Amino acid sequence: MIGELYADALAGENAELEYVDGTRSTLETARWFEPIDGDEELLSRCSSPTLDVGSGPGRLTAALTRRGIRALGIDITPRAVALTRRAGGFALLRDVFDDVPGSGRYATALLADGNIGIGGNPEVLLHRVRQLLRPGGTIVAEVAPPGTRSRVDRLRLRRGPLAGEWFGWATVSASDVRRIGLAAGFADADCWTAHGRWLARLH
């Protein structure tokens, strides 16, 4: 159900994120289709080849391709993969924890739009992505502002009476990303801000 609701949201249907405490917020998928202020700060730090983890409708995968950067987007939703291809990027239907083509050869892995939260355990995610990188490869990620409480939430997608399965999603503060990166095997992390977004480079 989560995949169906997410796919429908990418097609323009209204959807909400529902937290276990009953709090709800709108899932704003439309913003992922067009460039967002601060994207350049992510794109300019990507080298070929780049893996875009949780690529969604593919705005960043396609933008990298237009720049001549070899890029692969992976997403768990067929509609997202189709949208990425339609936008001019190359994408595959893959979970980051499954087999990923090119494993061990990526120069950069991109975790934009808060995708460092995938799976609800950022240390495990970063360790997995590190396996996909070549020696000396880097992760470029979007994180929460310094001082934000790093946490794991349980949430699900909802549209009216339809609700998906509960899943974990992590929030990682810029204040904590270096510590988490070190635990995942990275030597250091640099953080900076651009257009109100906080970004990190783990290397």
PDB file of all heavy atoms in Angstrom, residues 70-107:
ATOM      1  N   ARG A  70      27.738  10.850 -15.231  1.00  0.00           N
ATOM      2  CA  ARG A  70      27.035   9.572 -15.277  1.00  0.00           C
ATOM      3  C   ARG A  70      26.318   9.374 -13.946  1.00  0.00           C
ATOM      4  O   ARG A  70      26.950   9.389 -12.883  1.00  0.00           O
ATOM      5  CB  ARG A  70      28.018   8.429 -15.537  1.00  0.00           C
ATOM      6  CG  ARG A  70      28.521   8.376 -16.970  1.00  0.00           C
ATOM      7  CD  ARG A  70      29.430   7.180 -17.211  1.00  0.00           C
ATOM      8  NE  ARG A  70      30.695   7.316 -16.488  1.00  0.00           N
ATOM      9  CZ  ARG A  70      31.162   6.446 -15.618  1.00  0.00           C
ATOM     10  NH1 ARG A  70      30.469   5.354 -15.315  1.00  0.00           N
ATOM     11  NH2 ARG A  70      32.330   6.645 -15.033  1.00  0.00           N
ATOM     12  N   ALA A  71      25.013   9.191 -14.021  1.00  0.00           N
ATOM     13  CA  ALA A  71      24.204   9.118 -12.805  1.00  0.00           C
ATOM     14  C   ALA A  71      23.170   8.022 -12.932  1.00  0.00           C
ATOM     15  O   ALA A  71      22.569   7.840 -13.999  1.00  0.00           O
ATOM     16  CB  ALA A  71      23.517  10.458 -12.534  1.00  0.00           C
ATOM     17  N   LEU A  72      22.966   7.317 -11.829  1.00  0.00           N
ATOM     18  CA  LEU A  72      21.924   6.301 -11.744  1.00  0.00           C
ATOM     19  C   LEU A  72      21.021   6.649 -10.576  1.00  0.00           C
ATOM     20  O   LEU A  72      21.484   6.845  -9.452  1.00  0.00           O
ATOM     21  CB  LEU A  72      22.529   4.915 -11.516  1.00  0.00           C
ATOM     22  CG  LEU A  72      21.534   3.790 -11.179  1.00  0.00           C
ATOM     23  CD1 LEU A  72      20.601   3.516 -12.354  1.00  0.00           C
ATOM     24  CD2 LEU A  72      22.270   2.515 -10.771  1.00  0.00           C
ATOM     25  N   GLY A  73      19.733   6.742 -10.842  1.00  0.00           N
ATOM     26  CA  GLY A  73      18.756   6.919  -9.778  1.00  0.00           C
ATOM     27  C   GLY A  73      18.152   5.573  -9.401  1.00  0.00           C
ATOM     28  O   GLY A  73      17.902   4.739 -10.275  1.00  0.00           O
ATOM     29  N   ILE A  74      17.951   5.353  -8.116  1.00  0.00           N
ATOM     30  CA  ILE A  74      17.250   4.146  -7.669  1.00  0.00           C
ATOM     31  C   ILE A  74      16.084   4.560  -6.784  1.00  0.00           C
ATOM     32  O   ILE A  74      16.180   5.478  -5.982  1.00  0.00           O
ATOM     33  CB  ILE A  74      18.172   3.149  -6.935  1.00  0.00           C
ATOM     34  CG1 ILE A  74      18.856   3.790  -5.721  1.00  0.00           C
ATOM     35  CG2 ILE A  74      19.197   2.564  -7.893  1.00  0.00           C
ATOM     36  CD1 ILE A  74      19.618   2.785  -4.854  1.00  0.00           C
ATOM     37  N   ASP A  75      14.972   3.864  -6.962  1.00  0.00           N
ATOM     38  CA  ASP A  75      13.776   4.156  -6.173  1.00  0.00           C
ATOM     39  C   ASP A  75      12.964   2.870  -6.072  1.00  0.00           C
ATOM     40  O   ASP A  75      13.095   1.971  -6.917  1.00  0.00           O
ATOM     41  CB  ASP A  75      12.948   5.265  -6.816  1.00  0.00           C
ATOM     42  CG  ASP A  75      12.039   5.968  -5.820  1.00  0.00           C
ATOM     43  OD1 ASP A  75      10.979   5.401  -5.477  1.00  0.00           O
ATOM     44  OD2 ASP A  75      12.385   7.083  -5.368  1.00  0.00           O
ATOM     45  N   ILE A  76      12.120   2.776  -5.047  1.00  0.00           N
ATOM     46  CA  ILE A  76      11.345   1.561  -4.818  1.00  0.00           C
ATOM     47  C   ILE A  76       9.979   1.607  -5.490  1.00  0.00           C
ATOM     48  O   ILE A  76       9.196   0.664  -5.362  1.00  0.00           O
ATOM     49  CB  ILE A  76      11.165   1.288  -3.314  1.00  0.00           C
ATOM     50  CG1 ILE A  76      10.408   2.441  -2.632  1.00  0.00           C
ATOM     51  CG2 ILE A  76      12.512   1.058  -2.648  1.00  0.00           C
ATOM     52  CD1 ILE A  76       9.999   2.137  -1.194  1.00  0.00           C
ATOM     53  N   THR A  77       9.693   2.692  -6.221  1.00  0.00           N
ATOM     54  CA  THR A  77       8.380   2.854  -6.837  1.00  0.00           C
ATOM     55  C   THR A  77       8.500   2.913  -8.353  1.00  0.00           C
ATOM     56  O   THR A  77       9.206   3.776  -8.881  1.00  0.00           O
ATOM     57  CB  THR A  77       7.700   4.137  -6.331  1.00  0.00           C
ATOM     58  OG1 THR A  77       7.648   4.106  -4.900  1.00  0.00           O
ATOM     59  CG2 THR A  77       6.298   4.276  -6.877  1.00  0.00           C
ATOM     60  N   PRO A  78       7.821   2.023  -9.086  1.00  0.00           N
ATOM     61  CA  PRO A  78       7.909   2.044 -10.544  1.00  0.00           C
ATOM     62  C   PRO A  78       7.570   3.393 -11.171  1.00  0.00           C
ATOM     63  O   PRO A  78       8.203   3.810 -12.144  1.00  0.00           O
ATOM     64  CB  PRO A  78       6.904   0.966 -10.972  1.00  0.00           C
ATOM     65  CG  PRO A  78       6.861   0.014  -9.818  1.00  0.00           C
ATOM     66  CD  PRO A  78       7.009   0.879  -8.590  1.00  0.00           C
ATOM     67  N   ARG A  79       6.573   4.085 -10.613  1.00  0.00           N
ATOM     68  CA  ARG A  79       6.210   5.379 -11.190  1.00  0.00           C
ATOM     69  C   ARG A  79       7.361   6.375 -11.076  1.00  0.00           C
ATOM     70  O   ARG A  79       7.620   7.152 -11.987  1.00  0.00           O
ATOM     71  CB  ARG A  79       4.954   5.949 -10.532  1.00  0.00           C
ATOM     72  CG  ARG A  79       4.440   7.219 -11.240  1.00  0.00           C
ATOM     73  CD  ARG A  79       3.235   7.808 -10.512  1.00  0.00           C
ATOM     74  NE  ARG A  79       2.086   6.934 -10.544  1.00  0.00           N
ATOM     75  CZ  ARG A  79       1.197   6.885 -11.534  1.00  0.00           C
ATOM     76  NH1 ARG A  79       1.348   7.668 -12.593  1.00  0.00           N
ATOM     77  NH2 ARG A  79       0.156   6.080 -11.462  1.00  0.00           N
ATOM     78  N   ALA A  80       8.077   6.353  -9.949  1.00  0.00           N
ATOM     79  CA  ALA A  80       9.214   7.254  -9.780  1.00  0.00           C
ATOM     80  C   ALA A  80      10.297   6.949 -10.808  1.00  0.00           C
ATOM     81  O   ALA A  80      10.889   7.863 -11.400  1.00  0.00           O
ATOM     82  CB  ALA A  80       9.777   7.138  -8.366  1.00  0.00           C
ATOM     83  N   VAL A  81      10.550   5.664 -11.024  1.00  0.00           N
ATOM     84  CA  VAL A  81      11.547   5.270 -12.015  1.00  0.00           C
ATOM     85  C   VAL A  81      11.130   5.744 -13.404  1.00  0.00           C
ATOM     86  O   VAL A  81      11.940   6.288 -14.166  1.00  0.00           O
ATOM     87  CB  VAL A  81      11.746   3.740 -11.984  1.00  0.00           C
ATOM     88  CG1 VAL A  81      12.609   3.272 -13.151  1.00  0.00           C
ATOM     89  CG2 VAL A  81      12.369   3.321 -10.660  1.00  0.00           C
ATOM     90  N   ALA A  82       9.856   5.558 -13.738  1.00  0.00           N
ATOM     91  CA  ALA A  82       9.360   5.998 -15.043  1.00  0.00           C
ATOM     92  C   ALA A  82       9.471   7.509 -15.202  1.00  0.00           C
ATOM     93  O   ALA A  82       9.840   8.005 -16.281  1.00  0.00           O
ATOM     94  CB  ALA A  82       7.912   5.547 -15.225  1.00  0.00           C
ATOM     95  N   LEU A  83       9.168   8.245 -14.153  1.00  0.00           N
ATOM     96  CA  LEU A  83       9.257   9.706 -14.222  1.00  0.00           C
ATOM     97  C   LEU A  83      10.705  10.167 -14.407  1.00  0.00           C
ATOM     98  O   LEU A  83      10.980  11.123 -15.129  1.00  0.00           O
ATOM     99  CB  LEU A  83       8.661  10.326 -12.956  1.00  0.00           C
ATOM    100  CG  LEU A  83       7.137  10.246 -12.836  1.00  0.00           C
ATOM    101  CD1 LEU A  83       6.696  10.632 -11.424  1.00  0.00           C
ATOM    102  CD2 LEU A  83       6.468  11.159 -13.864  1.00  0.00           C
ATOM    103  N   THR A  84      11.644   9.490 -13.736  1.00  0.00           N
ATOM    104  CA  THR A  84      13.054   9.836 -13.893  1.00  0.00           C
ATOM    105  C   THR A  84      13.494   9.622 -15.331  1.00  0.00           C
ATOM    106  O   THR A  84      14.179  10.469 -15.926  1.00  0.00           O
ATOM    107  CB  THR A  84      13.927   8.997 -12.942  1.00  0.00           C
ATOM    108  OG1 THR A  84      13.544   9.273 -11.595  1.00  0.00           O
ATOM    109  CG2 THR A  84      15.405   9.326 -13.112  1.00  0.00           C
ATOM    110  N   ARG A  85      13.111   8.497 -15.899  1.00  0.00           N
ATOM    111  CA  ARG A  85      13.477   8.218 -17.290  1.00  0.00           C
ATOM    112  C   ARG A  85      12.842   9.228 -18.231  1.00  0.00           C
ATOM    113  O   ARG A  85      13.471   9.679 -19.188  1.00  0.00           O
ATOM    114  CB  ARG A  85      13.062   6.795 -17.651  1.00  0.00           C
ATOM    115  CG  ARG A  85      13.851   5.726 -16.887  1.00  0.00           C
ATOM    116  CD  ARG A  85      13.298   4.335 -17.143  1.00  0.00           C
ATOM    117  NE  ARG A  85      14.092   3.313 -16.459  1.00  0.00           N
ATOM    118  CZ  ARG A  85      13.754   2.030 -16.397  1.00  0.00           C
ATOM    119  NH1 ARG A  85      12.620   1.618 -16.970  1.00  0.00           N
ATOM    120  NH2 ARG A  85      14.528   1.165 -15.761  1.00  0.00           N
ATOM    121  N   ARG A  86      11.597   9.605 -17.946  1.00  0.00           N
ATOM    122  CA  ARG A  86      10.915  10.591 -18.786  1.00  0.00           C
ATOM    123  C   ARG A  86      11.612  11.944 -18.700  1.00  0.00           C
ATOM    124  O   ARG A  86      11.633  12.702 -19.670  1.00  0.00           O
ATOM    125  CB  ARG A  86       9.457  10.719 -18.340  1.00  0.00           C
ATOM    126  CG  ARG A  86       8.599  11.578 -19.263  1.00  0.00           C
ATOM    127  CD  ARG A  86       7.193  11.708 -18.709  1.00  0.00           C
ATOM    128  NE  ARG A  86       6.577  10.401 -18.456  1.00  0.00           N
ATOM    129  CZ  ARG A  86       5.459  10.227 -17.780  1.00  0.00           C
ATOM    130  NH1 ARG A  86       4.818  11.277 -17.258  1.00  0.00           N
ATOM    131  NH2 ARG A  86       4.953   9.017 -17.603  1.00  0.00           N
ATOM    132  N   ALA A  87      12.205  12.242 -17.536  1.00  0.00           N
ATOM    133  CA  ALA A  87      12.903  13.518 -17.356  1.00  0.00           C
ATOM    134  C   ALA A  87      14.287  13.519 -17.997  1.00  0.00           C
ATOM    135  O   ALA A  87      14.954  14.560 -18.031  1.00  0.00           O
ATOM    136  CB  ALA A  87      13.023  13.833 -15.873  1.00  0.00           C
ATOM    137  N   GLY A  88      14.733  12.358 -18.483  1.00  0.00           N
ATOM    138  CA  GLY A  88      16.029  12.296 -19.151  1.00  0.00           C
ATOM    139  C   GLY A  88      17.126  11.647 -18.343  1.00  0.00           C
ATOM    140  O   GLY A  88      18.287  11.644 -18.752  1.00  0.00           O
ATOM    141  N   GLY A  89      16.767  11.074 -17.176  1.00  0.00           N
ATOM    142  CA  GLY A  89      17.753  10.389 -16.363  1.00  0.00           C
ATOM    143  C   GLY A  89      17.630   8.884 -16.494  1.00  0.00           C
ATOM    144  O   GLY A  89      16.649   8.371 -17.036  1.00  0.00           O
ATOM    145  N   PHE A  90      18.619   8.172 -16.005  1.00  0.00           N
ATOM    146  CA  PHE A  90      18.587   6.712 -16.003  1.00  0.00           C
ATOM    147  C   PHE A  90      18.267   6.266 -14.588  1.00  0.00           C
ATOM    148  O   PHE A  90      18.895   6.729 -13.631  1.00  0.00           O
ATOM    149  CB  PHE A  90      19.929   6.148 -16.452  1.00  0.00           C
ATOM    150  CG  PHE A  90      19.945   4.640 -16.540  1.00  0.00           C
ATOM    151  CD1 PHE A  90      19.074   3.975 -17.387  1.00  0.00           C
ATOM    152  CD2 PHE A  90      20.815   3.893 -15.766  1.00  0.00           C
ATOM    153  CE1 PHE A  90      19.066   2.588 -17.466  1.00  0.00           C
ATOM    154  CE2 PHE A  90      20.819   2.510 -15.829  1.00  0.00           C
ATOM    155  CZ  PHE A  90      19.946   1.857 -16.692  1.00  0.00           C
ATOM    156  N   ALA A  91      17.306   5.369 -14.471  1.00  0.00           N
ATOM    157  CA  ALA A  91      16.889   4.920 -13.137  1.00  0.00           C
ATOM    158  C   ALA A  91      16.487   3.455 -13.178  1.00  0.00           C
ATOM    159  O   ALA A  91      16.054   2.937 -14.208  1.00  0.00           O
ATOM    160  CB  ALA A  91      15.719   5.763 -12.627  1.00  0.00           C
ATOM    161  N   LEU A  92      16.627   2.808 -12.016  1.00  0.00           N
ATOM    162  CA  LEU A  92      16.246   1.415 -11.856  1.00  0.00           C
ATOM    163  C   LEU A  92      15.371   1.257 -10.608  1.00  0.00           C
ATOM    164  O   LEU A  92      15.500   2.025  -9.655  1.00  0.00           O
ATOM    165  CB  LEU A  92      17.479   0.531 -11.711  1.00  0.00           C
ATOM    166  CG  LEU A  92      18.391   0.413 -12.935  1.00  0.00           C
ATOM    167  CD1 LEU A  92      19.631  -0.394 -12.559  1.00  0.00           C
ATOM    168  CD2 LEU A  92      17.666  -0.232 -14.097  1.00  0.00           C
ATOM    169  N   LEU A  93      14.520   0.248 -10.651  1.00  0.00           N
ATOM    170  CA  LEU A  93      13.682  -0.085  -9.510  1.00  0.00           C
ATOM    171  C   LEU A  93      14.531  -0.905  -8.538  1.00  0.00           C
ATOM    172  O   LEU A  93      14.773  -2.093  -8.760  1.00  0.00           O
ATOM    173  CB  LEU A  93      12.465  -0.883  -9.982  1.00  0.00           C
ATOM    174  CG  LEU A  93      11.393  -1.199  -8.945  1.00  0.00           C
ATOM    175  CD1 LEU A  93      10.701   0.073  -8.486  1.00  0.00           C
ATOM    176  CD2 LEU A  93      10.376  -2.186  -9.523  1.00  0.00           C
ATOM    177  N   ARG A  94      15.003  -0.250  -7.485  1.00  0.00           N
ATOM    178  CA  ARG A  94      15.894  -0.906  -6.537  1.00  0.00           C
ATOM    179  C   ARG A  94      15.702  -0.323  -5.140  1.00  0.00           C
ATOM    180  O   ARG A  94      15.448   0.862  -4.971  1.00  0.00           O
ATOM    181  CB  ARG A  94      17.362  -0.698  -6.910  1.00  0.00           C
ATOM    182  CG  ARG A  94      17.867  -1.442  -8.119  1.00  0.00           C
ATOM    183  CD  ARG A  94      17.989  -2.946  -7.862  1.00  0.00           C
ATOM    184  NE  ARG A  94      18.722  -3.593  -8.929  1.00  0.00           N
ATOM    185  CZ  ARG A  94      18.233  -3.874 -10.126  1.00  0.00           C
ATOM    186  NH1 ARG A  94      16.993  -3.543 -10.410  1.00  0.00           N
ATOM    187  NH2 ARG A  94      18.971  -4.485 -11.043  1.00  0.00           N
ATOM    188  N   ASP A  95      15.857  -1.184  -4.147  1.00  0.00           N
ATOM    189  CA  ASP A  95      16.017  -0.774  -2.765  1.00  0.00           C
ATOM    190  C   ASP A  95      17.516  -0.660  -2.515  1.00  0.00           C
ATOM    191  O   ASP A  95      18.290  -1.517  -2.965  1.00  0.00           O
ATOM    192  CB  ASP A  95      15.393  -1.838  -1.855  1.00  0.00           C
ATOM    193  CG  ASP A  95      15.382  -1.439  -0.386  1.00  0.00           C
ATOM    194  OD1 ASP A  95      16.461  -1.079   0.139  1.00  0.00           O
ATOM    195  OD2 ASP A  95      14.313  -1.515   0.239  1.00  0.00           O
ATOM    196  N   VAL A  96      17.947   0.369  -1.822  1.00  0.00           N
ATOM    197  CA  VAL A  96      19.376   0.585  -1.611  1.00  0.00           C
ATOM    198  C   VAL A  96      20.021  -0.585  -0.875  1.00  0.00           C
ATOM    199  O   VAL A  96      21.233  -0.826  -1.005  1.00  0.00           O
ATOM    200  CB  VAL A  96      19.619   1.912  -0.856  1.00  0.00           C
ATOM    201  CG1 VAL A  96      19.066   1.858   0.568  1.00  0.00           C
ATOM    202  CG2 VAL A  96      21.090   2.288  -0.847  1.00  0.00           C
ATOM    203  N   PHE A  97      19.230  -1.362  -0.129  1.00  0.00           N
ATOM    204  CA  PHE A  97      19.771  -2.486   0.622  1.00  0.00           C
ATOM    205  C   PHE A  97      19.816  -3.781  -0.201  1.00  0.00           C
ATOM    206  O   PHE A  97      20.300  -4.799   0.280  1.00  0.00           O
ATOM    207  CB  PHE A  97      18.978  -2.697   1.912  1.00  0.00           C
ATOM    208  CG  PHE A  97      19.109  -1.555   2.880  1.00  0.00           C
ATOM    209  CD1 PHE A  97      18.088  -0.626   3.023  1.00  0.00           C
ATOM    210  CD2 PHE A  97      20.266  -1.388   3.624  1.00  0.00           C
ATOM    211  CE1 PHE A  97      18.207   0.436   3.911  1.00  0.00           C
ATOM    212  CE2 PHE A  97      20.395  -0.333   4.514  1.00  0.00           C
ATOM    213  CZ  PHE A  97      19.368   0.588   4.657  1.00  0.00           C
ATOM    214  N   ASP A  98      19.290  -3.726  -1.422  1.00  0.00           N
ATOM    215  CA  ASP A  98      19.369  -4.868  -2.327  1.00  0.00           C
ATOM    216  C   ASP A  98      20.595  -4.720  -3.225  1.00  0.00           C
ATOM    217  O   ASP A  98      21.377  -3.781  -3.085  1.00  0.00           O
ATOM    218  CB  ASP A  98      18.092  -4.961  -3.167  1.00  0.00           C
ATOM    219  CG  ASP A  98      16.868  -5.307  -2.329  1.00  0.00           C
ATOM    220  OD1 ASP A  98      17.048  -5.898  -1.236  1.00  0.00           O
ATOM    221  OD2 ASP A  98      15.744  -4.975  -2.758  1.00  0.00           O
ATOM    222  N   ASP A  99      20.756  -5.639  -4.168  1.00  0.00           N
ATOM    223  CA  ASP A  99      21.860  -5.543  -5.119  1.00  0.00           C
ATOM    224  C   ASP A  99      21.699  -4.295  -5.978  1.00  0.00           C
ATOM    225  O   ASP A  99      20.621  -4.049  -6.539  1.00  0.00           O
ATOM    226  CB  ASP A  99      21.901  -6.776  -6.023  1.00  0.00           C
ATOM    227  CG  ASP A  99      22.316  -8.033  -5.268  1.00  0.00           C
ATOM    228  OD1 ASP A  99      23.003  -7.901  -4.238  1.00  0.00           O
ATOM    229  OD2 ASP A  99      21.947  -9.135  -5.709  1.00  0.00           O
ATOM    230  N   VAL A 100      22.765  -3.512  -6.082  1.00  0.00           N
ATOM    231  CA  VAL A 100      22.755  -2.281  -6.886  1.00  0.00           C
ATOM    232  C   VAL A 100      23.860  -2.395  -7.931  1.00  0.00           C
ATOM    233  O   VAL A 100      25.022  -2.622  -7.575  1.00  0.00           O
ATOM    234  CB  VAL A 100      22.973  -1.035  -6.002  1.00  0.00           C
ATOM    235  CG1 VAL A 100      23.061   0.221  -6.869  1.00  0.00           C
ATOM    236  CG2 VAL A 100      21.856  -0.899  -4.979  1.00  0.00           C
ATOM    237  N   PRO A 101      23.536  -2.255  -9.214  1.00  0.00           N
ATOM    238  CA  PRO A 101      24.569  -2.317 -10.243  1.00  0.00           C
ATOM    239  C   PRO A 101      25.665  -1.279  -9.992  1.00  0.00           C
ATOM    240  O   PRO A 101      25.388  -0.156  -9.566  1.00  0.00           O
ATOM    241  CB  PRO A 101      23.803  -1.990 -11.535  1.00  0.00           C
ATOM    242  CG  PRO A 101      22.388  -2.353 -11.238  1.00  0.00           C
ATOM    243  CD  PRO A 101      22.187  -2.052  -9.782  1.00  0.00           C
ATOM    244  N   GLY A 102      26.887  -1.655 -10.249  1.00  0.00           N
ATOM    245  CA  GLY A 102      28.001  -0.729 -10.060  1.00  0.00           C
ATOM    246  C   GLY A 102      28.490  -0.642  -8.632  1.00  0.00           C
ATOM    247  O   GLY A 102      29.284   0.253  -8.299  1.00  0.00           O
ATOM    248  N   SER A 103      28.034  -1.555  -7.787  1.00  0.00           N
ATOM    249  CA  SER A 103      28.432  -1.527  -6.378  1.00  0.00           C
ATOM    250  C   SER A 103      29.944  -1.480  -6.240  1.00  0.00           C
ATOM    251  O   SER A 103      30.670  -2.238  -6.887  1.00  0.00           O
ATOM    252  CB  SER A 103      27.880  -2.756  -5.669  1.00  0.00           C
ATOM    253  OG  SER A 103      28.294  -2.799  -4.326  1.00  0.00           O
ATOM    254  N   GLY A 104      30.419  -0.564  -5.399  1.00  0.00           N
ATOM    255  CA  GLY A 104      31.846  -0.423  -5.155  1.00  0.00           C
ATOM    256  C   GLY A 104      32.564   0.475  -6.134  1.00  0.00           C
ATOM    257  O   GLY A 104      33.788   0.655  -6.028  1.00  0.00           O
ATOM    258  N   ARG A 105      31.809   1.105  -7.047  1.00  0.00           N
ATOM    259  CA  ARG A 105      32.457   1.915  -8.076  1.00  0.00           C
ATOM    260  C   ARG A 105      31.952   3.361  -8.137  1.00  0.00           C
ATOM    261  O   ARG A 105      32.420   4.149  -8.961  1.00  0.00           O
ATOM    262  CB  ARG A 105      32.282   1.260  -9.446  1.00  0.00           C
ATOM    263  CG  ARG A 105      32.941  -0.106  -9.545  1.00  0.00           C
ATOM    264  CD  ARG A 105      33.097  -0.551 -10.992  1.00  0.00           C
ATOM    265  NE  ARG A 105      31.826  -0.810 -11.630  1.00  0.00           N
ATOM    266  CZ  ARG A 105      31.184  -1.988 -11.593  1.00  0.00           C
ATOM    267  NH1 ARG A 105      31.696  -2.991 -10.904  1.00  0.00           N
ATOM    268  NH2 ARG A 105      30.036  -2.160 -12.218  1.00  0.00           N
ATOM    269  N   TYR A 106      31.016   3.735  -7.266  1.00  0.00           N
ATOM    270  CA  TYR A 106      30.474   5.099  -7.346  1.00  0.00           C
ATOM    271  C   TYR A 106      31.406   6.099  -6.676  1.00  0.00           C
ATOM    272  O   TYR A 106      31.941   5.844  -5.595  1.00  0.00           O
ATOM    273  CB  TYR A 106      29.080   5.163  -6.709  1.00  0.00           C
ATOM    274  CG  TYR A 106      28.050   4.427  -7.526  1.00  0.00           C
ATOM    275  CD1 TYR A 106      27.676   3.129  -7.182  1.00  0.00           C
ATOM    276  CD2 TYR A 106      27.495   5.008  -8.650  1.00  0.00           C
ATOM    277  CE1 TYR A 106      26.757   2.430  -7.952  1.00  0.00           C
ATOM    278  CE2 TYR A 106      26.574   4.319  -9.424  1.00  0.00           C
ATOM    279  CZ  TYR A 106      26.215   3.031  -9.073  1.00  0.00           C
ATOM    280  OH  TYR A 106      25.313   2.338  -9.845  1.00  0.00           O
ATOM    281  N   ALA A 107      31.569   7.239  -7.326  1.00  0.00           N
ATOM    282  CA  ALA A 107      32.375   8.317  -6.745  1.00  0.00           C
ATOM    283  C   ALA A 107      31.576   9.107  -5.725  1.00  0.00           C
ATOM    284  O   ALA A 107      32.129   9.598  -4.737  1.00  0.00           O
ATOM    285  CB  ALA A 107      32.872   9.251  -7.847  1.00  0.00           C
TER     286      ALA A 107
END
